[in-house]
Amino acid sequence: MSPSLRLLLALAAPLGAAASQTASRANPVRRVVSMLQLMQEKVAAEGKAEEQLFHKFMCYCTTGKGDLEASIAAAEDKIVADSSSLEAAVAAKAQLEKDLKDAKASREEAGGAAEEAKAIREKQAKAFAEASADHKTNIAALGKAIAALERGASGAFLQTAGAAKLRQLSVDADISAPDREILTSFLAQGQADGYAPQSGEITGILKQMLETMEKDLAEITATEEAAVKDFEEMLAAKTQETDSLGAEIEAKTARLGKVGLEIVELKEEVDDTKKALADDQKFLADLDKNCATKKKE
């Protein structure tokens, strides 16, 4: 309180008494006294309010500092935790990218193997069809020749297309040299005079050739059927592998997108937390300084 205000208040007390005695004659003085009394009450109220504010500020110096320190500690812990999560997410992203690259390469390899197997199978099927047709044609020709010879119609048979096929077989077939010579000699003659087909060597040779041809046809047919089965099993396995890799690629692509978003969010979270931490640390330093200054006052 200023000296002049104290002086006015000191003067107010006697003036108040005088004012009551001369109320009817000194109205201006009474007004001054009343004003000074109001000023005294206002100053007292302001002093009390200032004292309350001081106590509140000092209380905040204690509790506010604790709150800030707790906030700073929480922020530091959060930065450590989020940084660890960010590091894990970055590693997971790198692994997902590698897994996706490998899966795509494996799918492409599986698809390529399937296409290559299809091309091979087509060639095998074509080769079998040609070989099977040749064997069946040869078997049919041998059957007709044997039947004709057993009927004693060798002369008529030698004039047919079947005889021409048989002449070719006599050259290409895998038979012994003596049998080839006998068969070639028979086919070269226009008429087999005095020949007894039921018991002759020619019929025996032809039947042996027929048996061999039928056996060969059975073998290549069995080989073809086994190849078809193996191909179908391989193709089914490659198809399943390709489908499985496709599902894996789809799932990991979606996961990669989520991890990428998570990385962006974690980076922003760490950055925001660091900024908030810096603000709290600065505010705490200012609070300590202001509280120390206020105590001195």
Side-chain angles (χ1 to χ4, degrees):
M1 185 181 300
S2 62
S4 58
L5 182 59
R6 289 193 182 93
L7 177 60
L8 288 172
L9 292 174
L11 293 172
L15 286 174
S20 61
Q21 295 173 1
T22 60
S24 58
R25 293 175 295 114
N27 288 337
V29 174
R30 185 172 60 185
R31 284 197 298 271
V32 171
V33 171
S34 297
M35 181 183 66
L36 291 175
Q37 288 175 335
L38 289 173
M39 289 177 65
Q40 182 181 19
E41 293 173 359
K42 183 178 180 181
V43 169
E46 288 177 352
K48 185 176 181 181
E50 183 178 353
E51 182 179 1
Q52 289 176 347
L53 286 173
F54 175 78
H55 286 305
K56 286 181 179 180
F57 183 79
M58 295 310 296
C59 179
Y60 180 73
C61 285
T62 302
T63 59
K65 181 178 180 180
D67 292 342
L68 281 172
E69 289 174 343
S71 177
I72 289 171
E76 290 173 340
D77 291 343
K78 181 173 175 55
I79 289 172
V80 172
D82 287 346
S83 296
S84 178
S85 297
L86 177 59
E87 183 179 352
V90 170
K93 182 175 181 288
Q95 185 62 48
L96 282 168
E97 290 173 338
K98 181 181 181 302
D99 291 346
L100 276 171
K101 181 179 178 181
D102 293 344
K104 288 178 179 178
S106 296
R107 182 175 64 175
E108 184 176 352
E109 182 181 350
E115 291 302 317
E116 183 179 357
K118 286 179 182 179
I120 293 173
R121 177 86 284 277
E122 288 176 0
K123 291 180 180 179
Q124 291 176 338
K126 182 179 180 181
F128 168 74
E130 292 174 353
S132 176
D134 287 343
H135 277 70
K136 289 176 180 178
T137 299
N138 294 337
I139 289 170
L142 286 169
K144 290 178 181 179
I146 292 169
L149 292 172
E150 288 179 342
R151 292 196 309 269
S154 58
F157 171 75
L158 290 173
Q159 307 304 316
T160 64
K165 184 63 178 176
L166 201 56
R167 290 186 184 93
Q168 182 184 344
L169 283 175
S170 69
V171 177
D172 299 336
D174 185 15
I175 57 177
S176 66
D179 288 346
R180 191 185 310 278
E181 185 178 351
I182 293 170
L183 182 58
T184 303
S185 177
F186 163 70
L187 293 170
Q189 68 182 352
Q191 174 70 35
D193 296 329
Y195 177 68
Q198 288 82 357
S199 59
E201 292 177 291
I202 298 299
T203 303
I205 293 171
L206 294 179
K207 285 184 176 181
Q208 183 62 45
M209 290 174 65
L210 177 62
E211 182 180 346
T212 301
M213 288 283 182
E214 290 176 337
K215 182 179 178 182
D216 288 346
L217 178 59
E219 287 179 355
I220 66 171
T221 300
T223 300
E224 172 67 7
E225 290 174 349
V228 170
K229 182 181 178 182
D230 290 343
F231 168 74
E232 289 176 347
E233 290 177 350
M234 185 281 295
L235 187 61
K238 289 299 180 183
T239 300
Q240 182 178 3
E241 181 182 0
T242 301
D243 292 344
S244 177
L245 287 168
E248 178 184 348
I249 289 169
E250 184 178 352
K252 287 188 175 180
T253 298
R255 175 60 183 152
L256 181 62
K258 291 181 180 178
V259 171
L261 180 60
E262 181 181 349
I263 288 172
V264 172
E265 292 175 345
L266 283 170
K267 285 181 177 179
E268 291 178 351
E269 191 69 21
V270 169
D271 187 57
D272 291 344
T273 305
K274 285 181 177 180
K275 290 178 181 178
L277 174 62
D279 290 342
D280 283 351
Q281 288 173 332
K282 183 178 183 303
F283 191 80
L284 179 61
D286 292 341
L287 181 65
D288 287 340
K289 179 181 178 181
N290 293 335
C291 289
T293 301
K294 199 67 176 177
K295 285 181 180 179
K296 291 179 181 179
E297 294 177 357

